[in-house]
Amino acid sequence: MTIAADDRTRCAWAGDDPEYRRYHDEEWGVALHGDRALYEKMTLEGFQAGLSWITILRKRPRFREVFAGFDPSVVARFDEGDVDRLMADAGIIRNRAKIEAAIGNARLVDAMADGELDALMWSFAPRGRRARPQSMTEIPATTLESVAMSKALRARGFRFVGPTTMYALMQSTGMVDDHIVGCWRAN
């Protein structure tokens, strides 16, 4: 737990960084729906693999700009020239495999019926409420649900959707609520 200058007790990972605190307070654990919004989270979580989330948060405005607001129908039309353009952009994470996965994943989302990605991903949200974690050490890196979500997405051809990445997505989109006991956001 951490207590900030505003006297709010937060999950320890929120720390003192204002952007992290804002993300913790306003986004993390809040139910997020919509194919476009979930495609964005999937993409950003994929780019985060191996890096810290604060790096992604700080670069998110530029990601949104260069990935056409994460509109899957626009990103699906990106070509090799766009990959080269993105690889040259220091404002994002310049990893060719992740960039190509983001484009390939957009093509898969674009080919789905409206609402299909949302329904698919939310179908893996755990039913019922589990015990709220007492500390960060009680928060798992993966769950049976995140493993199943990862397998289902991979079977459809999605990339950079491993079980750990999908659990982080489940946390960030409110499919699970891992705010620890004592955090002001814990309900």
Side-chain angles (χ1 to χ4, degrees), residues 30-167:
V30 175
L32 181 70
H33 285 278
D35 294 345
R36 186 175 183 162
L38 290 170
Y39 165 69
E40 176 179 352
K41 281 288 187 179
M42 178 193 308
T43 302
L44 292 175
E45 293 288 356
F47 272 99
Q48 185 271 329
L51 303 170
S52 70
W53 184 245
I54 193 65
T55 300
I56 301 303
L57 282 179
R58 290 181 179 143
K59 292 179 178 280
R60 183 166 61 173
R62 184 65 181 156
F63 270 108
R64 286 177 170 163
E65 186 177 335
V66 301
F67 278 98
F70 290 100
D71 183 337
S73 65
V74 175
V75 178
R77 294 190 308 267
F78 281 13
D79 59 18
E80 190 58 37
D82 292 296
V83 173
D84 292 341
R85 171 182 57 84
L86 294 167
M87 284 296 295
D89 194 321
I92 66 166
I93 306 303
R94 295 179 290 180
N95 178 300
R96 183 172 293 277
K98 292 177 180 182
I99 290 168
E100 289 174 346
I103 295 167
N105 290 349
R107 291 176 182 145
L108 295 168
V109 174
D110 190 47
M112 298 171 98
D114 286 344
E116 187 176 350
L117 180 66
D118 185 290
L120 173 65
M121 295 183 97
W122 275 90
S123 73
F124 295 99
R127 304 292 180 240
R129 186 173 199 142
R130 66 178 187 180
R132 183 163 300 286
Q134 295 286 323
S135 70
M136 298 302 289
T137 61
E138 292 182 15
I139 298 174
T142 64
T143 61
L144 293 174
E145 294 89 355
S146 74
V147 171
M149 179 189 284
S150 174
K151 285 181 181 177
L153 290 167
R154 286 179 176 174
R156 288 175 175 243
F158 286 91
R159 294 181 287 161
F160 281 91
V161 292
T164 302
T165 300
M166 290 302 92
Y167 191 70

